[in-house]
Amino acid sequence: MGYELRVERPAPFAFAELADVLGRAGFEFRGSQEAGEILARHGERVHAVAVWNGTLSGAPGSDWQVAQLARVSALLGASLVGEDGESYAIRDGLVEQRSGSDAYEFGRLDEILAAGPAVWSA
């Protein structure tokens, strides 16, 4: 697994809330209440976005996956946090990463989602 991002909030996630909120937003779930995957559709295919095991986390390999994780965290009223303490969010239609006073913009949310899950190259 690559670099992990965690969806965090002060109150724990209840599976019923997670399934309800994400289902209404078009995400899919595969698994059980104890463990599974959050999936998002692009075209005719579904792609893993996050893992559920009582908490939500993901190891994105594309800007599309970062954007989807940012959407998930926003829908749940949570924060998306990286291993080094940086945060990811959608602000004014842009997906961005913040670390201290530094900010990096991934791009416009609608453009990233339309482009799909093209894997980052090394």
Side-chain angles (χ1 to χ4, degrees):
M1 186 177 227
Y3 193 79
E4 186 175 271
L5 302 179
R6 300 175 312 281
V7 179
E8 299 179 342
R9 70 176 189 183
F13 293 106
F15 178 77
E17 174 192 14
L18 175 81
D20 178 54
V21 170
L22 296 181
R24 285 187 284 126
F27 288 92
E28 299 176 30
F29 183 80
R30 189 177 297 152
S32 69
Q33 290 187 21
E34 291 78 32
E37 289 183 306
I38 307 300
L39 307 164
R41 184 169 293 281
H42 185 266
E44 296 297 314
R45 298 186 61 207
V46 292
H47 303 271
V49 172
V51 174
W52 164 257
N53 57 9
T55 62
L56 278 173
S57 63
S62 69
D63 289 353
W64 184 85
Q65 287 174 312
V66 172
Q68 294 289 11
L69 282 165
R71 285 186 59 222
V72 166
S73 66
L75 289 166
L76 294 169
S79 299
L80 183 59
V81 180
E83 292 176 3
D84 295 329
E86 75 282 9
S87 63
Y88 299 78
I90 300 168
R91 294 191 207 311
D92 301 323
L94 297 171
V95 179
E96 71 177 13
Q97 172 192 25
R98 289 196 159 281
S99 181
S101 61
D102 296 330
Y104 167 77
E105 292 180 355
F106 283 83
R108 297 207 47 79
L109 176 64
D110 57 347
E111 293 172 0
I112 292 170
L113 295 179
V119 177
W120 291 320
S121 58

